Amino acid sequence: MESGALQPSLYTVKAIFILDNDGNRLLSKYYDPELYPSMKEQKNFEKNVFNKTHKTDNEITFLEGMTIVYKSSIDLFFYVVGSAQENELMLMAVLNCLFESLNQILRKNVERRSLLDNMDGVFLVVDEIVDGGVILESDPQQVVEKVNFKADDNPLSEQSVAQVLQSAKEQIKWSILK
Amino acid sequence: MIKKFDKKDEEAGSGSNPFQHLEKSAVLQEARIFNETPINPRRCLHILTKIIYLLNQGEHFGTTEATEAFFAMTRLFQSNDQTLRRMCYLTIKEMANISEDVIIVTSSLTKDMTGKEDVYRGPAIRALCRITDTTMLQAIERYMKQAIVDKVASVSSSALVSSLHMVKMSYDVVKRWVNEAQEAASSDNIMVQYHALGLLYHLRKNDRLAVTKMLNKFTKSGLKSPFAYCMLIRIASKLLEETEGGHDSPLFDFIESCLRNKHEMVVYEAASAIVHMPNCTARELAPAVSVLQLFCSSPKAALRYAAVRTLNKVAMKHPSAVTACNLDLENLITDSNRSIATLAITTLLKTGSESSVDRLMKQISSFVSEISDEFKVVVVQAISALCQKYPRKHSVMMNFLSNMLRDDGGFEYKRAIVDCIISIIEENPESKETGLAHLCEFIEDCEHTVLATKILHLLGKEGPRTPSPSKYIRFIFNRVVLESEAVRAAAVSALAKFGAQNDDLLPSVLVLMQRCMMDSDDEVRDRATFYMNVLQQKQKALNAAYIFNGLSVSVPGLEKSLHQYTLEPSEKPFDMKTVPLASAPITEQKTEIAPVATSKLPEKLAPSRQDIYQEQLAAIPEFESLGPLFKSSEPVQLTEAETEYVVRCIKHTFAAHLVFQFDCTNTLNDQLLQRVLVQMEPSESYEVVHHVPAQNLPYSQPGSCYTLVRLPDDDPTAVTCTFSCTMKYLVRDCDPNTGEPDDDGYDDEYVLEDLEVTVADHIQKVLKPNFGAAWEEVGDEFEKEETFALASVRTLEEAVNNIITFLGMQPCERSDKVPENKNSHVLFLAGVFRGGYDVLVRARLALADGVTMQVTVRSSDENVVDVILASVG
């Protein structure tokens, strides 16, 4: 079971999840029914992963027998989980594709608020990248085209000055806290 | 199209979550607007998003409410809003398992999947396959086949991936799409190519010939997708492993050529595949190691991690191959990613020289508290390996380990440390006292029962033999006062061993035992009373039998025998010898020193292999009267790999009989074999009594047939025999496509390789933790001694291994390990001969020109001694 060699299979991704800066789940997909079958186990796992990763921007780690690649942006954390023997670069390809696609549909505004405002687009993006654990697409351009999603367009005029200030404050706060 | 949330949310500031206070009931209430005409796409979209969000948060939806929402949702197919339609597909997939009658959307999805809008077609296929079962799949088969070869990449990919998901459920249907998948594999689109390759492999993986053909085709034509290349490398390396193909095979050349691919992903996959190949020589490893070395200085953390993780693996088997990378690894030990740093250090520990050990240990102790438990375990394992390599360093290591033992950490981590200390103690006698002292300190404050009992057991085994055993008594007795029942019981057993071995301690131990007899727990009291009585007899033989070397029977076997005995009460006392013996625990193989999925290892709950066989054989009426199963051998292959029929044999030994179990597999898909039996021609006076044929042996389903042989009773020393075996059967040809066999068949036979029965088949391994005591217990009544010269053997190790495999007995007191640079060695072997006679062998070996061996055998039966000596000669 522990043999290093991988069974040839397309099932590469065990889970994908996006957490906010308090470790709360915004989106998660578990593709392997044997891995953390219950909601409680899943949230527990996410909490462990978050505790180990949110302070350091290290890109990759190994926890509970799983390889985890991750990336953070302002107040968001993106995780892709694979088996211990999985090709780390494949997992990275998925993570990069996820991040780049979201970056495009959220107009370079990859932060919690804008993500939540466009949650439908986020669900669709994840659905286009991984299907049941199989990498469906790894090119962000393709993903964006397929989803064909227009972000909630908030022209600046519509935003109150207070709001702009608020979000600037938040961003500065997070860059200091990191 | 634009979607807005309630103004209120937006004004609450950017920190708020518009989904935060969602109420399931309120959302479901809102879902009623799905029924309004005309449909308001923006509002409906918002509600669907909320539903999916709630499901994703783990909100529980009851079947009725889910079904209601689902049916309302189906109305939204009337709208032509793209995003709304896509969200409907998502909702279908999310609700497929919680709502009833989801198949109601089949026709809508089929329409979308075959429609004009390419944006809909892929996602519709994936949603449709999610709700489809085998019977319905046949109805949409035509569309699926078309979709697989569709020129729109997303449609083709979706169809291929969905087919792959369906293979588990409806293999027979999906396998009919092989030709379409084949066509898709030559697509220009990289993802389509990858998915097609994956599906083709899954459909063909049991057919080695087809896989080989497929590999040939793709390795020649070349692929565009790096993912597909990785897949191809994995298939190739699996095939290499299965066929035990040499490294001159074209498959190996293909993998090696991938080291020059322009994608890092492919290069890494190829390097990793080469590293994981069994029996790779240093020369073959070199190119793989050098690309990994390049990756070590990559700016990408994931790539550095991947490289150093793989190098760590190489270092376990071929440390010298990695030495070239030492400089690059040195640079990584200060990497900000602690996982990388840890792996780099542990790799260096394996490849570096003795002098660098201290420096590396210092470096690692500076951040050991920052890394996760998984990596701490890796560190401990590296230290464990190091101690074997540089025994002189054990004091540094022991210090480091004891510090780690004091730190916080989970069970797996502590267990790794304890195991490591125990192995150091066993390897280096001079470290025993410090090691035991650290462990004693650890159990003073140890929350893990398993570890405490393990350490107490070790103290009982090793403590009495140290120069001052009395100092351990305090630690052990503290446990009796403070701990839970299991630990107290273990402590009592450990105390008894001190009393049995050290006469001057006996009076004090007896006093302590007396106190334990007042314990509140039954088990603790029972043990104390039992040991008390044994110790008071002051007889060496009793001590050996009941305190040092406990029962060697299999526990489930004992339970079964006792149950049987109570069912049929008789005048005769219960005979321990009728209980099957526990096969000696296979010494734990050195676990791989790499991040291992420790938490995923299943605990050993399954009954032992022998208990399973016992059960299977007892179910066959012909074997009922044979008595308990004594021993089952490892399977012996009687055919070459890749022949028409694959047969392996397991030899089951009973008191006066042998049962040969032939596991046969028919690898011809156009034949059905019936009434399969193996005819055996013995070379000695063995008598074949009975055959139990396998009635049916269809393609690729293994079946077993049995042959019963009686051992000659007039000559108890006749233990070895050679059988020539022939498999006989009735062949019925069948149609390879439908599997329907012809009505009549013909008899045929197939010659198998000869099968040997050796002395090892008559002896069961038994571990005697205290060999000296056991040696005295058996006594010298039937002792015999003889000297042999082993001319063909060159080293002591080789001689030791030969004797162990030949006699099939259990080496005791770690005497199977020959210390380096010694010219003589003593090997202790213990076992039980068929019939329940204890056998002990002491072999003194001396290395001169060849190896000279003096064998002393003791047993409770004279014949057994003769058999062993005769067979060695």
Side-chain angles (χ1 to χ4, degrees):
Chain A
M1 169 170 58
E2 250 179 54
S3 77
L6 274 174
Q7 285 297 317
S9 155
L10 294 190
Y11 294 94
T12 307
V13 182
K14 299 251 180 217
I16 286 186
F17 48 89
I18 305 176
L19 307 179
D20 69 7
N21 55 353
D22 296 320
N24 296 319
R25 165 194 284 201
L26 300 179
L27 178 154
S28 14
K29 294 293 274 176
Y30 286 76
Y31 299 108
D32 182 350
E34 280 160 31
L35 179 80
Y36 309 119
S38 78
M39 194 55 66
K40 203 176 147 207
E41 290 166 285
Q42 291 180 6
K43 293 209 166 164
N44 200 17
F45 173 64
E46 285 161 28
K47 204 176 94 207
N48 281 343
V49 171
F50 181 74
N51 287 339
K52 286 280 176 201
T53 53
H54 75 285
K55 281 189 220 119
T56 49
D57 198 7
N58 273 339
E59 197 171 300
I60 185 160
T61 191
F62 182 81
L63 261 179
E64 301 189 18
M66 242 97 49
T67 303
I68 299 158
V69 293
Y70 61 101
K71 193 179 183 85
S72 66
S73 167
I74 312 179
D75 49 3
L76 289 175
F77 290 83
F78 301 88
Y79 297 90
V80 175
V81 182
S83 89
Q85 290 87 25
E86 192 47 75
N87 186 328
E88 290 85 349
L89 303 181
M90 279 195 177
L91 300 176
M92 271 320 270
V94 175
L95 180 67
N96 287 335
C97 176
L98 172 68
F99 187 81
E100 277 309 312
S101 312
L102 291 180
N103 197 25
Q104 286 194 37
I105 67 158
L106 302 178
R107 314 196 160 197
K108 307 219 157 110
N109 211 5
V110 187
E111 43 130 4
R112 179 168 173 271
R113 178 67 206 217
S114 123
L115 183 98
L116 285 171
D117 282 349
N118 298 290
M119 209 55 200
D120 37 3
V122 180
F123 283 127
L124 291 176
V125 162
V126 173
D127 181 60
E128 280 297 342
I129 298 175
V130 179
D131 184 274
V134 178
I135 305 177
L136 197 58
E137 182 58 74
S138 65
D139 177 4
Q141 203 51 50
Q142 290 288 328
V143 172
V144 173
E145 268 173 37
K146 283 186 203 168
V147 172
N148 191 19
F149 178 83
K150 303 274 189 319
D152 193 355
D153 229 346
N154 254 353
L156 200 60
S157 58
E158 260 189 37
Q159 263 185 356
S160 67
V161 180
Q163 235 179 329
V164 175
L165 274 179
Q166 176 78 26
S167 92
K169 230 193 260 170
E170 287 275 316
Q171 295 205 10
I172 292 167
K173 196 169 85 192
W174 288 117
S175 57
I176 293 171
L177 279 180
K178 263 209 294 177
Chain B
M1 37 77 281
I2 299 162
K3 156 189 65 76
K4 279 275 159 54
F5 293 112
D6 299 341
K7 268 280 178 270
K8 235 189 276 166
D9 279 336
E10 233 159 80
E11 276 154 16
S14 65
S16 79
N17 176 348
F19 298 103
Q20 202 158 36
H21 303 294
L22 280 187
E23 283 275 337
K24 179 182 71 176
S25 49
V27 175
L28 290 175
Q29 194 81 29
E30 279 185 275
R32 294 206 175 145
I33 66 150
F34 292 169
N35 290 319
E36 278 172 19
T37 348
I39 292 166
N40 178 341
R42 199 183 306 159
R43 286 186 64 197
C44 293
L45 186 54
H46 188 193
I47 293 160
L48 278 186
T49 312
K50 283 179 180 174
I51 292 177
I52 296 180
Y53 185 86
L54 281 176
L55 284 168
N56 207 266
Q57 289 295 324
E59 185 82 42
H60 176 76
F61 280 65
T63 313
T64 328
E65 52 190 6
T67 311
E68 210 168 286
F70 188 86
F71 274 71
M73 184 273 300
T74 55
R75 255 203 96 238
L76 302 181
F77 271 90
Q78 290 173 10
S79 161
N80 279 326
D81 185 286
Q82 265 193 23
T83 312
L84 183 62
R85 181 71 60 90
R86 297 286 314 272
M87 286 304 275
C88 285
Y89 299 148
L90 276 194
T91 317
I92 292 169
K93 287 203 272 187
E94 294 287 333
M95 286 200 159
N97 288 334
I98 34 181
S99 166
E100 281 175 343
D101 300 324
V102 283
I103 49 168
I104 191 154
V105 287
T106 306
S107 64
S108 306
L109 288 172
T110 320
K111 212 173 104 206
D112 281 357
M113 138 181 198
T114 50
K116 287 200 183 76
E117 286 270 18
D118 286 346
V119 205
Y120 291 158
R121 293 172 60 202
I125 292 172
R126 291 191 282 129
L128 181 59
C129 287
R130 184 77 181 71
I131 58 165
T132 299
D133 60 21
T134 307
T135 42
M136 272 167 52
L137 189 62
Q138 278 162 337
I140 57 162
E141 183 172 1
R142 189 161 56 93
Y143 303 121
M144 286 301 287
K145 280 182 165 179
Q146 282 167 6
I148 290 175
V149 293
D150 199 284
K151 58 183 185 305
V152 179
S154 69
V155 176
S156 175
S157 269
S158 296
L160 286 163
V161 172
S162 302
S163 312
L164 181 65
H165 296 323
M166 312 279 285
V167 169
K168 276 179 231 122
M169 192 177 71
S170 339
Y171 176 81
D172 289 327
V173 181
V174 180
K175 85 172 177 206
R176 294 201 289 256
W177 308 344
V178 163
N179 289 336
E180 282 75 16
Q182 188 86 47
E183 195 182 326
S186 44
S187 157
D188 284 337
N189 183 284
I190 60 169
M191 290 320 279
V192 172
Q193 200 173 52
Y194 171 55
H195 297 138
L197 178 65
L199 179 62
L200 280 176
Y201 176 70
H202 267 269
L203 291 175
R204 289 173 172 171
K205 63 183 167 191
N206 293 324
D207 183 351
R208 197 176 287 165
L209 198 69
V211 174
T212 316
K213 268 191 201 155
M214 186 172 94
L215 271 175
N216 276 341
K217 180 167 171 258
F218 288 119
T219 50
K220 282 210 187 77
S221 63
L223 295 161
K224 284 198 183 112
S225 156
F227 293 110
Y229 261 111
C230 290
M231 181 75 184
L232 216 49
I233 292 171
R234 283 180 202 177
I235 300 173
S237 70
K238 186 165 162 31
L239 196 64
L240 265 178
E241 197 180 317
E242 281 174 355
T243 55
E244 286 157 26
H247 296 162
D248 44 0
S249 124
L251 290 176
F252 186 81
D253 293 342
F254 161 72
I255 297 179
E256 202 173 27
S257 73
C258 290
L259 289 173
R260 295 182 289 278
N261 195 288
K262 63 177 190 291
H263 293 279
E264 280 169 343
M265 187 194 289
V266 179
V267 176
Y268 169 62
E269 186 72 46
S272 163
I274 293 178
V275 165
H276 283 113
M277 268 174 212
N279 329 317
C280 223
T281 63
R283 203 174 55 83
E284 284 154 346
L285 276 175
V289 170
S290 60
V291 300
L292 292 173
Q293 184 177 8
L294 276 180
F295 288 164
C296 278
S297 44
S298 158
K300 294 180 200 154
L303 195 50
R304 293 200 301 275
Y305 174 89
V308 71
R309 181 175 72 97
T310 314
L311 284 174
N312 196 322
K313 283 242 171 69
V314 185
M316 271 186 290
K317 279 193 218 135
H318 305 275
S320 56
V322 187
T323 20
C325 311
N326 275 2
L327 211 61
D328 307 80
L329 290 170
E330 287 278 351
N331 290 331
L332 293 181
I333 62 178
T334 48
D335 200 294
S336 64
N337 184 327
R338 293 309 189 198
S339 312
I340 296 176
T342 314
L343 285 171
I345 291 181
T346 49
T347 312
L348 280 171
L349 284 175
K350 283 177 214 132
T351 62
S353 62
E354 194 164 354
S355 56
S356 61
V357 168
D358 292 299
R359 185 174 56 86
L360 290 169
M361 296 299 280
K362 210 171 191 175
Q363 176 78 33
I364 206 165
S365 41
S366 68
F367 64 79
V368 78
S369 56
E370 290 174 39
I371 55 181
S372 63
D373 268 14
E374 274 87 352
F375 283 102
K376 286 181 184 165
V377 174
V378 177
V379 173
V380 174
Q381 285 169 335
I383 292 174
S384 173
L386 207 55
C387 291
Q388 285 179 357
K389 201 162 138 206
Y390 305 120
R392 277 186 295 157
K393 284 281 167 204
H394 67 79
S395 60
V396 187
M397 307 295 171
M398 199 58 107
N399 249 327
F400 185 77
L401 287 172
S402 68
N403 285 333
M404 286 173 102
L405 206 47
R406 279 185 214 117
D407 290 343
D408 288 339
F411 170 67
E412 289 298 335
Y413 172 46
K414 297 280 159 147
R415 188 175 70 175
I417 303 176
V418 170
D419 285 347
C420 181
I421 294 185
I422 292 178
S423 77
I424 296 177
I425 292 174
E426 285 173 344
E427 301 277 332
N428 309 287
E430 64 266 46
S431 68
K432 192 187 280 178
E433 284 201 53
T434 29
L436 288 180
H438 288 312
L439 292 177
C440 281
E441 189 195 324
F442 173 62
I443 54 169
E444 287 282 317
D445 181 22
C446 169
E447 64 207 294
H448 308 293
T449 310
V450 183
L451 292 181
T453 48
K454 187 168 188 175
I455 292 171
L456 283 168
H457 179 75
L458 179 81
L459 283 175
K461 197 169 129 224
E462 300 289 342
R465 293 189 238 176
T466 55
S468 52
S470 58
K471 68 178 175 196
Y472 301 109
I473 301 279
R474 181 173 63 86
F475 290 104
I476 298 174
F477 193 66
N478 278 348
R479 306 276 65 73
V480 178
V481 185
L482 298 166
E483 298 279 356
S484 63
E485 294 80 11
V487 181
R488 292 206 301 273
V492 168
S493 303
L495 273 181
K497 288 182 186 150
F498 280 84
Q501 187 116 347
N502 307 86
D503 289 337
D504 44 334
L505 286 178
L506 184 59
S508 342
V509 168
L510 286 176
V511 173
L512 296 177
M513 275 301 171
Q514 200 101 46
R515 281 202 217 163
C516 300
M517 285 164 68
M518 255 95 77
D519 197 281
S520 59
D521 182 70
D522 289 351
E523 170 73 19
V524 181
R525 259 194 332 265
D526 287 355
R527 283 199 194 191
T529 316
F530 174 73
Y531 289 130
M532 183 82 183
N533 285 313
V534 175
L535 287 172
Q536 277 168 340
Q537 305 298 317
K538 296 187 185 164
Q539 284 181 28
K540 283 262 182 267
L542 279 182
N543 285 350
Y546 296 113
I547 297 183
F548 295 125
N549 304 322
L551 288 177
S552 50
V553 294
S554 99
V555 178
L558 179 61
E559 186 189 349
K560 207 173 289 164
S561 309
L562 285 172
H563 183 63
Q564 198 63 36
Y565 187 73
T566 52
L567 287 182
E568 298 159 13
S570 72
E571 290 299 304
K572 282 191 295 176
F574 180 72
D575 184 6
M576 247 348 223
K577 281 185 182 167
T578 61
V579 181
L581 294 163
S583 25
I586 299 148
T587 37
E588 256 183 74
Q589 297 194 327
K590 289 285 163 217
T591 39
E592 282 201 20
I593 306 173
V596 286
T598 34
S599 56
K600 293 263 133 189
L601 286 178
E603 292 298 320
K604 274 185 229 152
L605 290 174
S608 74
R609 193 173 143 261
Q610 184 158 355
D611 292 327
I612 298 171
Y613 286 137
Q614 165 95 15
E615 198 105 313
Q616 285 173 354
L617 292 174
I620 301 169
E622 283 84 350
F623 303 147
E624 242 170 20
S625 57
L626 300 182
L629 175 60
F630 177 73
K631 180 181 183 176
S632 298
S633 73
E634 291 298 316
V636 185
Q637 296 294 343
L638 295 184
T639 48
E640 305 269 331
E642 311 208 36
T643 43
E644 298 95 307
Y645 311 112
V646 179
V647 180
R648 53 174 212 171
C649 176
I650 299 162
K651 297 172 269 186
H652 301 289
T653 313
F654 289 85
H657 296 85
L658 288 171
V659 170
F660 298 93
Q661 174 184 343
F662 297 94
D663 293 338
C664 317
T665 311
N666 168 12
T667 62
L668 299 177
N669 61 358
D670 56 354
Q671 283 192 357
L672 168 72
L673 304 190
Q674 289 187 318
R675 296 201 294 277
V676 184
L677 59 87
V678 175
Q679 194 149 40
M680 304 178 78
E681 293 291 332
S683 65
E684 307 285 324
S685 59
Y686 283 46
E687 184 193 347
V688 179
V689 186
H690 195 77
H691 296 285
V692 178
Q695 287 310 341
N696 274 310
L697 200 60
Y699 165 58
S700 85
Q701 285 176 22
S704 299
C705 59
Y706 301 88
T707 304
L708 175 66
V709 170
R710 181 163 41 231
L711 294 162
D713 19 275
D714 47 341
D715 181 12
T717 53
V719 292
T720 56
C721 184
T722 308
F723 292 89
S724 44
C725 308
T726 317
M727 182 161 79
K728 300 202 165 176
Y729 45 83
L730 177 81
V731 183
R732 288 174 71 186
D733 291 323
C734 39
D735 185 328
N737 291 322
T738 60
E740 279 300 310
D742 286 354
D743 286 338
D744 36 39
Y746 51 92
D747 284 316
D748 202 353
E749 58 179 55
Y750 189 80
V751 178
L752 305 172
E753 283 173 31
D754 286 357
L755 181 68
E756 302 240 5
V757 174
T758 64
V759 65
D761 292 320
H762 301 270
I763 300 176
Q764 177 68 282
K765 293 179 176 188
V766 169
L767 181 70
K768 300 279 184 192
N770 190 327
F771 187 82
W775 186 253
E776 294 306 320
E777 183 197 338
V778 172
D780 56 2
E781 194 185 347
F782 300 117
E783 180 181 290
K784 282 193 185 168
E785 193 169 86
E786 242 179 272
T787 309
F788 304 92
L790 310 173
S792 59
V793 190
R794 288 277 152 250
T795 65
L796 287 177
E797 265 158 4
E798 199 185 336
V800 165
N801 289 337
N802 282 352
I803 302 168
I804 295 173
T805 24
F806 181 74
L807 289 179
M809 292 169 75
Q810 178 69 29
C812 299
E813 310 273 337
R814 301 180 67 80
S815 61
D816 52 330
K817 297 256 169 72
V818 182
E820 277 176 49
N821 307 325
K822 285 273 179 63
N823 285 329
S824 61
H825 183 70
V826 187
L827 173 68
F828 301 112
L829 295 173
V832 170
F833 195 80
R834 177 169 51 80
Y837 306 107
D838 272 327
V839 196
L840 298 172
V841 171
R842 185 182 68 199
R844 295 179 201 272
L845 301 152
L847 181 70
D849 218 3
V851 174
T852 318
M853 174 172 76
Q854 184 192 46
V855 182
T856 316
V857 188
R858 283 185 177 188
S859 169
S860 42
D861 182 75
E862 190 171 8
N863 280 329
V864 176
V865 177
D866 292 336
V867 166
I868 303 257
L869 279 180
S871 66
V872 176

